[in-house]
Amino acid sequence: RDLRMSRGLGDVYKRQTFNRMRRKKGENKTMREKREVKYQMKVLSSLVKVFPDEEPVYRPECVKLSGLWDETVSYQVAYTGNHFLRERVDVKVVSPIAEYVRVRTVEQVPVGRATNGIVDDNYLKTTSGLYPDLLKDIKDGKVIIRSHQWSSLWIDVKLTDEIPAGDYEIEIQLVKDDAVICSAKRKITVIGVHLPKQKIMHTEWFHADCLADYYHVDVFSEKHWEILENYFHEYVDRGCNMMMVPLFTYPLDMEVGNDRTTTQLIEVEVKNGEYHFGFDKMKRWVDLCKKCGIEYYEMSHLFSQWGAKYAPKVMALVDGKEERIFGWHTPAVGEYTRFLQAFLPRLVEKLKEWGIAEVTYFHISDEPREEHLETFKAAKESLGNMLDGFHTFDALSSYEFYKHGLISKPIPGNNEIEEFLEHGLTDMWTYYCTGQFYEVSNRFMSMPSARNRIYGIQLYKYDIIGILHWGYNFYNSQHSYEHINPYQVTDASNGFPAGDPFLVYPGADGHPEESIRMMVHYEALTDLRALELLESLTSKEYVMELIEEDLDEPLTFKRYPKSDMYLIALRNKVNKEIARLSSAS
């Protein structure tokens, strides 16, 4: 009996020892698995915003990619790793069309003010934090894989007629120590048809003073002109074809009595009480615009913002000394009227001499409201017939204001345009800025990119002929109290939702760095051009049926599809129809 008990205890001991060893082996395996470095990549559309702490969802229905000649088609590849420390790895593009592929990193930027407080159900986030926006070129061929965080690569494929129509695979590889640690493949279908030239007029107000301030160069110095040219090229590449001309320092985005850096193209001299003008700097500005592909010109506002009560700042040589002869201290009507009577006829002569009079528009005062009717009317009437034959156009918010006939081309916000359309207006412009934050399209960083891109389809439906936005590169605080660093401050010092004041960042080499918002807005414009091409092959009714066939209600500026899939699937359908109809003809 004792022997049997001893053997029984021995068996128990063996079983316990075995179980302990098995648990230990399992724990070691788990630890090895945890220590094993793994990398992951996901192909995403251009409409996804990748946040570091949120795993993006791979949606195969949103990554089918096609494009026409003469457009840049974009998508993203998100990537992460579970390593302990961050790693620097090489990025390689493997594709028969690799030379047409550009890879940039999507960088997070700080957002202080994300919204205007009132939001609808179509925002990604409403709180302060880091948001994906800045696109940076990969200059040394390496990117950072952040430990347990998601990052994204932005892939641009520039399609030209040097690429034969067909399907092409693009593989993005992450390479470490000459070994591919992760890769992502996708195909793009190239349609062998040229995207037509852009018809819509598009201006993003260009702030030359902000570039001089940020880069610490003298206004209109040779270095400033060099930087301006760099920015003009990017401006045109992304569908901007109208340029604001700073005749005098913009009377914009300043509180009454405040100032911003003098940026005045017109040289003014006062002799014996008479005004004399020099146009050399303006001629250089116009020549640079022509060189870079600008097609339309808008003269800076002749009167102050929000009411046209004052003259803009005008600097002049008076008895050999530079003085401020007009500004907040001078009313819009008075001696400034005599100044304009001397200046505007000379300006019109130059516009005709340079061959741009037919494509020039004039601003009176920005964003007049009904309470400004009398002062705006007085300012407009003070011009007499000096601008006869030219369009005057201004952003405004009230149809009642327009009814008085003071503006030939009103530019209502996209949240107010439907009232103008209901009254039968055609050849309409529209704009959005910080005030268009509810229901309508816009490009705040806190909004999904689809809310930016849907704009192109809305512009097509309503035959909009021009679009405007106030902030291509506004690098000041609200009211221009101070200059800001846009890499650190994206909301004009808490003045506007981040994403409203600027579309591009000031790169260290004097070239602009683009944003997700810039590229998606460009996609909206290429969508518009593709829809116009399909209409030329069919009809407006045919294209609208394609746009609205799966919608439960007609598309408007306030009611529209909000899914990424709708936009991407629609564009692919449009491309497919263009290919079919073009080959048939």
Side-chain angles (χ1 to χ4, degrees):
R1 187 178 62 183
D2 292 343
L3 182 58
R4 286 197 302 272
M5 289 179 63
S6 176
R7 287 175 177 170
L9 289 172
D11 292 341
V12 170
Y13 177 76
K14 288 178 181 178
R15 284 197 300 273
Q16 289 175 341
T17 301
F18 175 76
N19 288 337
R20 281 197 299 271
M21 292 176 64
R22 187 170 60 181
R23 284 197 301 270
K24 187 67 173 177
K25 184 177 181 181
E27 290 171 0
N28 290 339
K29 180 181 179 182
T30 301
M31 289 300 295
R32 284 197 303 273
E33 289 175 347
K34 287 182 177 179
R35 285 196 300 266
E36 183 181 352
V37 177
K38 294 180 180 179
Y39 303 94
Q40 190 176 359
M41 297 183 81
K42 293 187 178 186
V43 176
L44 307 172
S45 80
S46 61
L47 301 180
V48 177
K49 292 188 177 181
V50 178
F51 291 88
D53 57 345
E54 298 177 4
E55 181 174 355
V57 178
Y58 168 67
R59 293 183 171 89
E61 71 274 19
C62 290
V63 295
K64 183 177 175 62
L65 199 64
S66 65
L68 307 176
W69 287 334
D70 300 327
E71 73 173 310
T72 295
V73 178
S74 303
Y75 68 100
Q76 294 178 86
V77 174
Y79 61 97
T80 189
N82 68 343
H83 44 287
F84 184 67
L85 300 173
R86 74 175 196 165
E87 296 182 345
R88 293 184 78 242
V89 299
D90 294 304
V91 177
K92 291 188 177 180
V93 178
V94 179
S95 173
I97 57 171
E99 63 184 295
Y100 301 96
V101 178
R102 178 186 185 187
V103 182
R104 291 181 281 181
T105 58
V106 180
E107 301 295 331
Q108 308 288 320
V109 297
V111 169
R113 180 173 179 172
T115 73
N116 278 327
I118 301 173
V119 298
D120 52 39
D121 60 0
N122 195 21
Y123 281 77
L124 292 173
K125 294 188 176 185
T126 60
T127 56
S128 302
L130 292 175
Y131 284 65
D133 189 61
L134 169 64
L135 300 179
K136 292 190 76 70
D137 279 310
I138 305 171
K139 298 190 176 179
D140 61 356
K142 295 182 180 294
V143 297
I144 301 297
I145 304 179
R146 296 174 177 87
S147 177
H148 297 280
Q149 290 187 346
W150 283 92
S151 301
S152 180
L153 298 174
W154 187 273
I155 318 298
D156 293 318
V157 189
K158 189 172 184 178
L159 304 182
T160 76
D161 56 13
E162 296 174 353
I163 306 173
D167 293 334
Y168 297 89
E169 184 175 84
I170 301 171
E171 181 180 5
I172 306 298
Q173 298 178 342
L174 297 183
V175 179
K176 180 181 178 182
D177 299 329
D178 297 324
V180 177
I181 58 174
C182 204
S183 71
K185 297 178 181 179
R186 63 103 29 82
K187 287 184 178 179
I188 179 170
T189 299
V190 178
I191 309 296
V193 179
H194 288 277
L195 195 67
K197 183 177 180 293
Q198 181 177 308
K199 295 179 182 178
I200 194 169
M201 289 176 276
H202 177 203
T203 178
E204 303 278 338
W205 286 351
F206 193 103
H207 301 272
D209 59 327
C210 291
L211 297 181
D213 294 332
Y214 182 83
Y215 289 107
H216 304 290
V217 298
D218 292 335
V219 173
F220 301 134
S221 63
E222 288 305 311
K223 186 62 178 177
H224 192 208
W225 284 110
E226 178 185 324
I227 293 168
L228 288 171
E229 181 170 353
N230 296 337
Y231 278 73
F232 282 15
H233 280 299
E234 191 279 344
Y235 184 87
V236 172
D237 283 346
R238 299 308 176 206
C240 303
N241 55 16
M242 175 182 274
M243 179 66 77
M244 181 98 93
V245 180
L247 302 171
F248 307 106
T249 302
Y250 294 165
L252 301 169
D253 304 297
M254 293 182 290
E255 198 168 58
V256 175
N258 194 22
D259 198 6
R260 57 188 292 180
T261 300
T262 300
T263 314
Q264 177 176 320
L265 288 171
I266 304 301
E267 297 159 349
V268 182
E269 187 172 5
V270 183
K271 291 181 180 179
N272 301 319
E274 298 298 321
Y275 299 106
H276 303 269
F277 306 98
F279 291 88
D280 290 348
K281 287 183 185 143
M282 183 178 174
K283 178 64 162 55
R284 185 169 181 179
W285 181 279
V286 170
D287 286 345
L288 181 58
C289 286
K290 289 180 177 179
K291 175 184 176 182
C292 296
I294 293 295
E295 300 176 66
Y296 306 95
Y297 301 84
E298 54 181 321
M299 301 298 105
S300 59
H301 301 71
L302 298 176
F303 301 93
S304 62
Q305 193 174 29
W306 305 311
K309 295 180 181 179
Y310 307 98
K313 179 173 71 173
V314 178
M315 305 300 293
L317 281 179
V318 182
D319 298 326
K321 182 181 178 181
E322 189 174 54
E323 294 182 11
R324 182 190 306 226
I325 60 173
F326 297 108
W328 297 117
H329 63 292
T330 49
V333 179
E335 178 59 24
Y336 181 61
T337 306
R338 192 171 77 86
F339 172 85
L340 290 178
Q341 288 170 344
F343 169 62
L344 288 177
R346 290 290 316 282
L347 175 62
V348 170
E349 287 176 9
K350 292 298 180 181
L351 297 176
K352 291 178 179 178
E353 178 185 325
W354 301 333
I356 63 172
E358 298 297 320
V359 290
T360 294
Y361 289 64
F362 279 87
H363 285 293
I364 307 300
S365 172
D366 188 43
E367 294 188 323
R369 305 184 183 98
E370 288 183 61
E371 61 266 30
H372 304 138
L373 181 62
E374 292 306 316
T375 55
F376 190 96
K377 181 180 179 184
K380 177 67 183 298
E381 290 179 347
S382 74
L383 299 174
N385 62 359
M386 290 185 288
L387 296 183
D388 284 359
F390 291 94
H391 290 298
T392 58
F393 70 152
D394 278 306
L396 52 79
S397 304
S398 168
Y399 180 78
E400 290 299 313
F401 189 99
Y402 165 73
K403 282 200 309 184
H404 293 274
L406 299 176
I407 297 175
S408 63
K409 285 288 181 186
I411 309 178
N414 59 346
N415 59 332
E416 291 133 348
I417 191 173
E418 289 174 358
E419 182 180 6
F420 290 77
L421 295 170
E422 288 167 2
H423 281 88
L425 271 72
T426 58
D427 296 332
M428 286 293 300
W429 281 66
T430 189
Y431 82 102
Y432 56 63
C433 64
T434 185
Q436 286 64 48
F437 58 85
Y438 194 78
E439 297 184 314
V440 293
S441 175
N442 210 319
R443 58 190 190 217
F444 299 163
M445 293 183 195
S446 55
M447 292 176 172
S449 288
R451 190 164 178 167
N452 182 350
R453 188 167 171 177
I454 193 67
Y455 202 37
I457 299 171
Q458 294 168 329
L459 298 173
Y460 172 79
K461 176 173 180 176
Y462 291 100
D463 298 314
I464 303 301
I465 67 167
I467 53 174
L468 174 153
H469 190 274
W470 74 279
Y472 175 74
N473 63 323
F474 184 71
Y475 304 147
N476 288 345
S477 68
Q478 184 182 17
H479 298 313
S480 298
Y481 286 117
E482 59 187 356
H483 309 313
I484 58 98
N485 181 342
Y487 292 95
Q488 299 172 350
V489 180
T490 57
D491 56 9
S493 293
N494 202 244
F496 315 111
D500 188 41
F502 59 85
L503 273 172
V504 296
Y505 296 79
D509 60 356
H511 289 77
E513 293 189 303
E514 294 178 318
S515 63
I516 286 177
R517 294 166 295 112
M518 178 84 264
M519 293 305 300
V520 174
H521 190 70
Y522 165 80
E523 289 181 318
L525 295 176
T526 56
D527 289 344
L528 170 61
R529 292 160 65 188
L531 292 169
E532 290 171 343
L533 173 57
L534 182 57
E535 179 182 330
S536 72
L537 299 170
T538 55
S539 66
K540 180 83 174 187
E541 294 72 23
Y542 184 88
V543 178
M544 285 309 306
E545 173 63 25
L546 205 63
I547 289 171
E548 296 182 338
E549 63 182 350
D550 295 324
L551 303 184
D552 193 46
E553 57 186 323
L555 177 141
T556 69
F557 281 101
K558 294 182 179 178
R559 308 285 289 182
Y560 51 86
K562 298 179 173 65
S563 71
D564 296 358
M565 181 182 176
Y566 169 82
L567 286 161
I568 293 165
L570 174 63
R571 183 57 201 276
N572 283 324
K573 283 195 291 185
V574 168
N575 288 347
K576 189 175 181 180
E577 284 292 276
I578 290 171
R580 179 180 68 82
L581 293 167
S582 297
S583 61
S585 62

